[in-house]
């Protein structure tokens, strides 16, 4: 085998034009050379030409294998992994490792170990290794038995069997063969080359010659964001200068990929960020992504993953996805349905219930989505068929199910979308190819296999070998660029840490110098890599972030000889930065007053209107006049609102039956138990009716226990009160302030022994009397209820803290001793500090304060003026609308646009 020293890329293409066979180290180099070959012949004025024999070396081996009649039962990589999983599962069935092991990862690592042993034509005895090594040998033995039982050809033996067959068999062999881009050759490939040379084939080893004059330097940046921003600015400068082949080599693609795609899109193709602009064609990054991340495929998986119970997140995604049938026709009502489902504040619900919501909608049919409901019905029907079957049958089932749901049929597919669609069909075909090596699978198992294959399949649109190529260091082998930037070259990236295969004894790997066996092996290979990359372009920039994942990083020692440089980059044109840096003189218009409330306009919200007006006038205007509010974010189980509603309903039912203090204290334990159980059951039934979904048995048990405890604690407080009777429960209260009519419910009103009345408001959260006493009361419920009661009759108002471990009353009244925990207004320290002398003055103050808040709201007062940022802004969902945060960046309210 000859090393083709000094042979240029054009010399190699000339050899391909003469009919020589060129085998490349990877598929990317094959595409690169084929594109260069086409460009060469096009420049010669050729219109039609024969495709060159430029192939990825494994592709050529398989072709030759089939030509020799050896490949009729050759396992594909997916089939081999499936067979490894089966072998491991059967060997470890019921063992301790079976519960702890990640089967797919173990199968992938075992397959790699098996491949290394075959490449180096070695093995090891069980006593030479540890428990893990002996487990691998058991798996390997079982794998080989499964291959023999199924008459499958092991792909790891492909090179060895091919070399043996070529020694005697007749095959169409090239006169000259070129190995392109190989940094090193495995023993099995060297053996194959030796056989070819014995058969008269001339073999040359070609590597892209180093550029004669290289200007290289290194530079560090604060973090990944700054590093990629400068890299993108450097690329844009070169492209605007007319460079046609710019390379970006990323040393940790899995870490950098998402940030790189985002930043390069912002800097190179910012117009593509705008909705409806389609794919930006000015720059095409040759950067593949897992097929599972493509929107169309992700939507297919979310549709297929629907089960008897569906999470609200998954349902919301399907409602918003443009790849789900009916999106264009039902986009508005699907948005309404998504909002109403979130308002249920449930993380998941039964699929049949979700289907009914889609069929019927909510109040007055809001959110009714007939097309979406039909798709859910189709999925529901398909879930009845869950018998285990072979992967091919599941592939057909999934394809037919998506066809029935009209997946991706509701929009015109772009070129990229169509290629994704084709890749999905190929993925299903790959699942079907597992029939011969797999046992029958359940639906969930088959879907998990398909999802994993989609995650491992890299999707790269055709024509992606463009002006800017983003690739890993191994993929860059054999390629040449006009300029090259090496990203993320810190001390832990190059030389890489050794990563010996855990299923082969380390001593064996070191002795044979297997890939990643030890640090010295990685150092030697790192030097080869550095030499190749520094010669791949006339201009080379090497960069690294000083801080990565919270740790300081140093430069790679293999580039220590390079001088420090400052690459020339163009100024960032990230849209957000351009907007901030805009020198356009903007006219500021401040308008703190909206339209006044019309006389006959109804506004819903109850006392929350006055509460929001007190906290921040803009908040009240935006929520109750404009209807602005964020979507609900469901949490696990019941949330605070549901639990509070349960307590309110339970107490309403209990006092509706009990009526007064005397009846309470006369209840014996059996009757108390019977009544409390009945009230709790009815409260839970009411909640389930409102949510349209029953609680799970475990959730119901937890709530029953919680409510029993709370009720017992609270009634102990009630029993220690002076004699009283309950005269109203959850009664409607209406109060008018000019055009504003507020309708609320008074939780409870009691009559005391002297005939006076007390208003009680149940609270299951934190309470404070200070919320009543300011100029702008932020808890206006009880003060509002006092407006319709005569001062002579109303004796006190009180919060009832109904919380486990903290039950009690807190309030104010006309005198001390009316209720435990209720203080008299006269002489109250906080009231005196505010100039309030007694109960009568307090009622007058509340009347004036509430009247003022109502008049502000009716007048359209909408100034962004939070009463207290912690209290008003901490849980507010209107920050993006009011832009209150800008006040902390040197702007006053007049600067808010």
């Amino acid at each position: 085998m000859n090393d083709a020293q000094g042979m240029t890329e054009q010399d190699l293409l000339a050899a391909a034009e003469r009919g020589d066979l060129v085998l490349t180290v990877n598929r990317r180099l094959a595409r690169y050379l084929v594109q260069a070959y086409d460009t060469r012949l096009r420049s010669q004025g050729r219109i039609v030409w024969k495709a060159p024999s430029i192939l990825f070396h494994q592709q050529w081996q398989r072709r030759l294998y089939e030509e020799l009649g050896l490949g009729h039962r050759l396992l594909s990589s997916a089939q081999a992994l499936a067979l490894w999983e089966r072998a491991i599962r059967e060997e470890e069935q019921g063992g301790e490792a079976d519960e702890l092991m990640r089967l797919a990862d173990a199968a992938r690592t075992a397959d790699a170990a098996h491949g290394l042993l075959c490449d180096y034509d070695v093995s090891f005895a069980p006593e030479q290794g540890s428990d893990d090594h002996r487990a691998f040998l058991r798996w390997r033995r079982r794998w080989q038995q499964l291959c023999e039982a199924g008459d499958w050809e092991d792909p790891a033996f492909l090179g060895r069997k091919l070399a043996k067959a070529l020694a005697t068999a007749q095959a169409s062999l090239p006169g000259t063969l070129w190995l392109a881009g190989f940094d090193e050759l495995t023993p099995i490939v060297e053996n194959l080359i030796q056989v070819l040379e014995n058969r008269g084939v001339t073999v040359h080893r070609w590597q892209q010659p180093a550029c004669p004059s290289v200007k290289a330097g290194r530079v560090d940046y604060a973090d990944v964001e700054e590093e990629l921003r400068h890299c993108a600015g450097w690329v844009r400068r070169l492209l605007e200068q007319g460079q046609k082949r710019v390379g970006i080599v990323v040393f940790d693609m899995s870490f950098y990929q998402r940030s790189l795609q985002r930043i390069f899109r912002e800097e190179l193709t910012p117009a593509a960020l705008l909705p409806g602009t389609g794919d930006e064609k000015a720059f095409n990054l040759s950067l593949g992504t897992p097929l599972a991340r493509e929107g169309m495929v992700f939507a297919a998986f979310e549709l297929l993953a629907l089960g008897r119970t569906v999470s609200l997140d998954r349902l919301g995604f399907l409602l918003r996805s443009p790849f789900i049938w009916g999106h264009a026709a039902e986009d508005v009502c699907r948005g309404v349905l998504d909002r109403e489902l979130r308002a249920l504040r449930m993380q998941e619900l039964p699929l049949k219930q979700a289907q009914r919501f889609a069929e019927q909608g909510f109040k007055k049919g809001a959110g009714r989505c007939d097309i979406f409901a039909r798709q859910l019905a189709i999925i529901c029907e398909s879930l009845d068929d869950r018998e285990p079957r072979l992967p091919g049958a599941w592939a057909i089932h999934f394809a037919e199910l998506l066809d029935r749901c009209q997946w991706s049929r509701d929009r015109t597919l772009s070129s990229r979308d169509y290629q994704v669609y084709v890749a999905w069909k190929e993925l299903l075909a790959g699942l079907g190819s597992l029939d011969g090596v797999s046992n029958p699978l359940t639906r969930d198992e088959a879907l998990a296999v398909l999802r994993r294959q989609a995650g491992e399949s890299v999707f790269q649109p055709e024509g992606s070998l463009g002006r800017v190529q983003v690739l890993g260091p191994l993929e860059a082998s054999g390629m040449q660029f006009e300029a090259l930037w090496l990203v993320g070259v810190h001390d832990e990236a190059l030389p890489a840490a050794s990563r010996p295969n855990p299923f082969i004894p380390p001593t064996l790997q070191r002795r044979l110098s297997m890939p990643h066996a030890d640090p010295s092996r990685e150092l030697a290979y790192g030097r080869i890599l550095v030499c190749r990359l520094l010669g791949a372009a006339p201009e080379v920039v090497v960069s690294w972030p000083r801080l990565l994942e919270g740790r300081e990083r140093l430069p790679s020692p293999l580039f220590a000889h390079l001088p420090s440089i400052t690459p020339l980059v163009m100024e960032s044109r990230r849209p957000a930065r351009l907007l901030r840096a805009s020198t356009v003189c903007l006219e500021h218009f401040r308008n703190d007053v909206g339209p006044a409330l019309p006389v006959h306009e109804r506004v819903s919200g109850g006392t929350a209107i006055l509460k929001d007006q007190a906290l921040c006038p803009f908040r009240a205007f935006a929520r109750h006049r404009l209807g602005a509010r964020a979507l609900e974010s469901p949490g696990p189980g019941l949330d605070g609102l549901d639990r509070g509603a349960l307590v309110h309903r339970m107490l309403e039912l209990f006092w509706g039956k009990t009526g007064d203090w005397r009846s309470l204290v006369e209840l014996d334990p059996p009757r108390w138990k019977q009544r409390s159980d009945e009230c709790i059951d009815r409260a839970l039934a009411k909640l389930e009716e409102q949510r349209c979904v029953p609680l799970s048995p475990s959730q119901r048990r937890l709530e029953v226990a919680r409510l029993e405890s709370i009720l017992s604690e609270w009634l102990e407080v009630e029993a220690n009160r002076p004699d009283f009777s309950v005269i109203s429960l959850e009664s409607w209260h209406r109060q008018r302030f000019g055009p504003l009519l507020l309708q609320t419910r008074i939780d409870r009103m009691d009559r005391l022994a002297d005939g006076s009345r007390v208003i009680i408001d149940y609270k299951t959260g934190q309470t404070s009397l200070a919320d009543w006493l300011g100029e702008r009361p932020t808890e206006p419920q009880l003060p509002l209820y006092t407006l319709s009661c005569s001062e002579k009759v109303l004796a006190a108002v009180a919060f009832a803290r109904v919380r486990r471990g903290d039950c009690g009353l807190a309030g104010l009244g006309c005198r001390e001793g009316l209720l435990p925990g209720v203080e008299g207004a006269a002489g109250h320290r906080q009231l005196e500090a505010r100039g309030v002398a007694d109960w009568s003055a307090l009622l007058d103050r509340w009347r004036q304060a509430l009247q003022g808040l109502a008049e502000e709201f009716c007048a359209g007062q909408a100034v962004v003026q939070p009463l207290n940022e912690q209290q008003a802004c901490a849980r507010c969902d209107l920050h993006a609308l009011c832009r209150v945060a800008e006040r902390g960046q040197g702007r006053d309210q007049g600067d808010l646009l």
Side-chain angles (χ1 to χ4, degrees):
M1 181 170 56
N2 304 316
D3 279 338
Q5 298 288 342
M7 265 195 78
T8 66
E9 181 180 303
Q10 291 302 315
D11 294 334
L12 180 68
L13 298 178
E17 191 175 355
R18 292 192 300 268
D20 292 355
L21 174 64
V22 178
L23 299 183
T24 64
V25 68
N26 55 50
R27 288 185 173 85
R28 184 183 289 273
L29 181 58
R31 290 198 303 271
Y32 167 86
L33 291 175
V34 168
Q35 186 184 57
Y37 182 87
D38 293 342
T39 302
R40 171 188 171 90
L41 295 191
R42 197 178 294 113
S43 66
Q44 296 174 3
R46 305 271 290 274
I47 300 176
V48 179
W49 55 86
K50 183 181 178 182
S53 296
I54 301 176
L55 302 169
F56 173 44
H57 72 98
Q58 290 184 0
Q59 182 184 3
W60 175 77
Q61 288 184 50
R62 283 183 175 262
R63 284 188 183 180
L64 193 57
Y65 204 69
E66 292 172 0
E67 182 183 336
L68 294 172
L70 304 174
H72 67 289
R73 298 288 288 176
L74 185 65
L75 289 169
S76 67
S77 58
Q79 290 172 324
L81 285 175
L83 203 60
W84 272 109
E85 288 186 20
R86 179 178 167 187
I88 296 171
R89 189 184 299 111
E90 291 178 1
E91 280 295 309
E92 301 297 335
Q93 189 98 31
E96 182 180 349
D98 187 36
E99 300 178 0
L100 303 176
M101 191 186 327
R102 296 174 61 178
L103 185 60
D105 291 342
R108 192 175 294 106
T109 307
D111 184 56
H114 175 64
L116 282 172
L117 294 176
C118 292
D119 280 349
Y120 285 81
D121 195 18
V122 294
S123 188
F124 61 92
E127 58 272 14
Q128 293 178 288
S130 65
D131 289 343
D132 286 344
H133 302 136
R134 285 188 283 275
F136 164 70
L137 291 178
R138 292 199 313 272
W139 303 344
R140 191 185 191 204
R141 184 171 57 252
R142 181 57 184 153
W143 146 270
Q144 291 168 338
Q145 291 171 354
L146 291 173
C147 285
E148 291 175 8
D151 193 24
W152 292 106
E153 292 286 348
D154 186 345
F157 289 120
L158 186 149
R160 188 186 307 173
K161 289 187 175 181
L162 193 57
K164 184 178 180 179
L166 284 175
T168 56
Q170 294 297 318
S172 55
L173 299 176
T176 304
L177 183 149
W178 298 82
L179 297 176
F182 288 84
D183 289 324
E184 54 186 11
L185 300 175
T186 62
I188 197 70
V189 172
E190 289 180 340
N191 182 43
L192 180 60
I193 296 304
Q194 183 64 51
V195 171
L196 289 172
E197 288 180 327
N198 293 340
R199 292 291 305 272
V201 179
T202 302
V203 180
H204 299 284
R205 186 172 175 180
W206 177 86
Q207 186 64 271
Q208 189 78 255
C211 293
S213 176
V214 178
K215 180 182 177 182
R218 58 180 187 157
V219 58
D220 63 313
Y221 294 102
D223 52 28
V224 170
E225 181 83 12
E226 185 181 32
E227 181 184 19
L228 293 178
R229 289 280 173 204
H230 280 75
C231 179
W234 177 82
V235 169
R236 188 157 63 88
R237 177 180 66 82
L238 295 176
L239 292 176
E240 293 190 4
Q241 290 175 357
Q243 302 276 25
K244 298 186 181 301
R245 192 184 295 169
V246 179
I248 310 295
V249 170
V250 184
F251 274 76
D252 187 355
M253 186 68 78
S254 61
F255 179 81
Y256 273 84
Q257 182 165 341
R258 289 196 175 185
S259 296
L260 191 144
Q261 285 180 310
R262 170 180 58 84
I263 291 171
F264 269 49
R265 189 176 293 114
E266 290 176 350
E267 298 291 351
L268 302 183
T269 61
L273 300 172
L274 298 174
T277 57
D279 294 335
E280 176 62 51
K281 299 298 183 184
F283 307 106
N284 204 342
L285 306 183
S286 53
L287 186 65
T289 57
L291 182 61
R293 289 188 193 169
E294 293 295 322
M296 184 187 299
V297 173
F298 191 85
F301 277 120
E302 291 297 283
L303 201 58
L304 293 173
L306 291 174
R308 301 290 183 188
T309 302
V310 58
S311 72
L312 200 61
D313 286 340
R314 174 166 288 158
L315 206 55
F317 171 82
L318 293 174
L319 286 167
R320 298 187 301 273
S321 173
F323 298 104
I324 301 300
W325 177 37
H327 176 267
E330 296 182 339
D331 57 342
V332 174
C333 56
R334 287 188 184 186
V336 173
L337 178 59
D338 187 22
R339 182 195 68 196
E340 296 299 325
L341 287 172
R342 289 175 180 273
L344 295 173
R345 304 189 304 280
M346 301 168 59
Q347 279 193 318
E348 57 183 31
L349 67 160
L351 184 60
K352 284 189 176 295
Q353 183 62 51
Q355 178 190 338
R356 282 194 289 272
F357 282 137
E359 288 173 344
Q360 302 168 9
F362 286 81
K363 187 176 181 181
K364 297 182 180 179
R368 177 177 172 180
C369 302
D370 294 334
I371 300 176
F372 190 72
R374 287 203 293 275
Q375 292 174 82
L376 295 185
I378 291 170
I379 297 294
C380 280
E381 180 186 342
S382 74
L383 293 178
D384 295 332
D385 185 8
R386 304 188 71 86
E387 287 296 319
R389 60 183 73 173
L390 289 174
W394 281 120
I396 295 171
H397 172 83
F398 294 148
E400 291 177 346
L401 184 58
L402 290 175
D403 284 343
R404 291 178 62 196
C405 291
Q406 299 291 308
W407 165 73
S408 77
R409 304 286 181 84
D410 201 28
R411 54 182 273 145
T412 302
L413 298 183
S414 65
S415 172
R416 182 186 181 93
D417 288 342
Y418 180 74
Q419 292 179 60
V420 171
Y421 180 81
V422 172
W424 169 258
K425 292 297 185 182
E426 292 173 352
L427 189 72
L428 288 176
L431 181 65
S433 71
L434 303 181
D435 280 1
V437 297
S438 174
N439 291 323
L441 305 174
T442 65
R443 188 182 195 275
D444 291 342
E445 289 172 341
L447 190 59
V449 170
L450 187 65
R451 193 187 290 272
R452 189 176 71 241
Q453 289 182 343
E456 295 169 353
S457 174
V458 176
F459 172 72
Q460 196 165 353
E462 292 180 7
S464 62
L465 205 59
R467 297 173 66 190
V468 180
Q469 297 181 54
V470 182
L471 58 168
L474 299 181
E475 295 173 305
S477 182
M479 300 177 69
Q480 200 165 55
F481 308 93
E482 294 175 349
L484 179 65
W485 186 304
L486 309 183
V487 173
V489 192
H490 53 80
D491 56 336
E492 295 184 20
L494 191 71
S498 59
R499 293 177 287 110
N501 191 294
F503 292 145
I504 302 176
T507 53
L508 179 61
Q509 296 186 64
R510 288 194 294 269
R511 179 166 60 82
L512 297 175
S513 192
M514 289 184 178
H516 316 299
D518 59 14
S520 61
R521 175 71 164 77
E522 291 300 300
L523 178 60
Y525 182 73
R527 287 172 174 156
I528 295 173
L529 203 60
V530 167
C531 182
R532 170 165 58 79
L533 291 173
L534 287 181
E539 179 183 355
V540 181
V541 178
V542 178
S543 70
W544 73 95
R546 295 191 298 273
L547 190 67
L548 185 65
E549 296 183 306
R551 294 170 49 219
E552 292 186 1
R553 300 298 169 94
L554 298 173
S556 168
L558 297 183
F559 291 100
H561 63 286
L562 296 181
S564 295
I565 60 171
T566 302
L568 295 177
V569 302
M570 298 193 70
E571 189 175 5
S572 172
R573 61 176 182 179
R574 177 179 38 171
R577 180 184 178 278
L578 295 179
L579 288 173
R580 286 197 300 267
S582 174
T583 57
V584 176
C585 182
L586 298 177
E587 179 181 355
H588 297 284
F589 176 70
R590 173 173 173 170
N591 185 3
D592 296 333
V593 181
L597 182 67
V599 175
H600 300 295
E601 182 174 326
R602 294 185 60 185
V603 181
S604 61
T607 56
I609 295 174
L610 299 183
K611 178 176 181 175
D612 288 337
Q613 189 72 27
L615 289 170
C616 176
F618 179 82
R619 174 167 157 172
F621 185 84
R623 282 187 174 175
H624 305 289
R625 296 288 301 280
L626 302 181
R629 60 196 58 208
L631 294 174
E632 297 282 355
S633 298
L638 300 178
D639 62 10
L641 289 175
D642 288 328
R643 289 193 168 94
L646 277 173
V647 170
H648 276 67
R649 180 63 177 161
M650 173 184 68
L651 292 175
E652 178 191 1
L653 292 168
F654 184 88
W655 283 112
K657 287 181 172 293
T658 306
D660 55 33
W661 175 83
R662 188 167 300 279
S663 299
L664 171 65
V665 297
E666 290 177 353
L667 279 176
D668 56 27
R671 289 171 59 207
W672 186 93
K673 173 65 174 171
Q674 179 184 3
R675 184 166 299 178
S676 64
D677 288 348
E678 180 183 348
C679 294
I680 290 171
D681 286 343
R682 289 179 61 187
L684 289 169
K686 181 67 174 178
L687 178 69
E688 291 175 329
E689 179 186 343
Q690 292 171 341
R691 288 159 55 95
C692 305
V693 178
L695 299 174
S696 67
S698 59
Q699 196 174 31
R700 190 180 183 89
R701 284 194 299 272
L702 287 173
E703 285 306 312
V704 167
R706 184 183 73 91
L707 292 172
E708 285 178 347
S709 175
I710 289 175
L711 184 59
S712 176
E713 287 185 39
W714 173 247
L715 293 182
E716 201 172 315
V717 173
E718 298 269 36
N720 290 324
R721 286 177 54 188
D723 188 16
F724 67 88
S725 60
V726 179
I727 59 175
S728 71
L729 293 164
E730 300 293 335
S731 62
W732 281 105
H733 172 74
R734 292 176 175 83
Q735 186 72 40
R736 181 174 288 279
F737 297 93
L740 177 63
L741 176 63
L742 300 181
Q743 298 189 85
T744 61
R745 287 181 181 269
I746 300 176
D747 289 347
R748 176 173 152 192
M749 185 178 290
D750 289 358
R751 181 188 293 114
L752 303 183
D754 61 0
S756 61
R757 298 183 181 183
V758 174
I759 299 176
I760 295 176
D761 189 49
Y762 296 126
K763 291 292 182 184
T764 55
Q766 296 288 343
T767 60
S768 173
L769 293 183
D771 296 334
W772 292 347
L773 305 181
E775 293 290 336
R776 304 173 71 85
T778 56
E779 288 292 347
Q781 297 99 315
L782 287 174
L784 181 69
Y785 301 154
T786 67
L787 301 186
S788 60
C789 290
S790 167
E791 180 184 332
K792 296 179 180 179
V793 175
L794 183 64
V797 291
F799 284 135
R801 294 191 314 274
V802 190
R803 295 188 301 168
R804 189 154 50 180
D806 185 29
C807 287
L809 291 161
L812 293 168
C814 62
R815 62 181 184 276
E816 297 281 350
L818 289 171
L819 291 86
V822 173
E823 305 173 67
H828 191 278
R829 182 173 54 83
Q830 294 185 52
L831 291 178
E832 286 185 342
R834 291 173 169 81
V836 179
D838 54 23
W839 178 243
S840 178
L842 178 61
L843 296 181
D844 287 340
R845 182 186 180 91
W846 280 343
R847 185 174 293 106
Q848 294 170 13
L850 298 178
Q851 183 69 38
L853 292 175
E855 288 175 355
E856 283 184 15
F857 181 79
C858 293
Q861 290 293 329
V863 62
V864 179
Q865 193 175 48
L867 180 67
N868 175 295
E869 291 196 2
Q870 179 62 31
Q871 189 177 8
C873 301
R875 296 187 179 181
C876 182
D877 53 10
L878 302 173
H879 292 181
L881 189 58
C882 74
R883 297 168 65 178
V884 69
E886 295 187 15
R887 296 197 308 173
Q889 300 174 0
R891 297 186 179 188
D892 59 24
Q893 289 178 2
D895 293 325
L896 299 180
L897 302 178

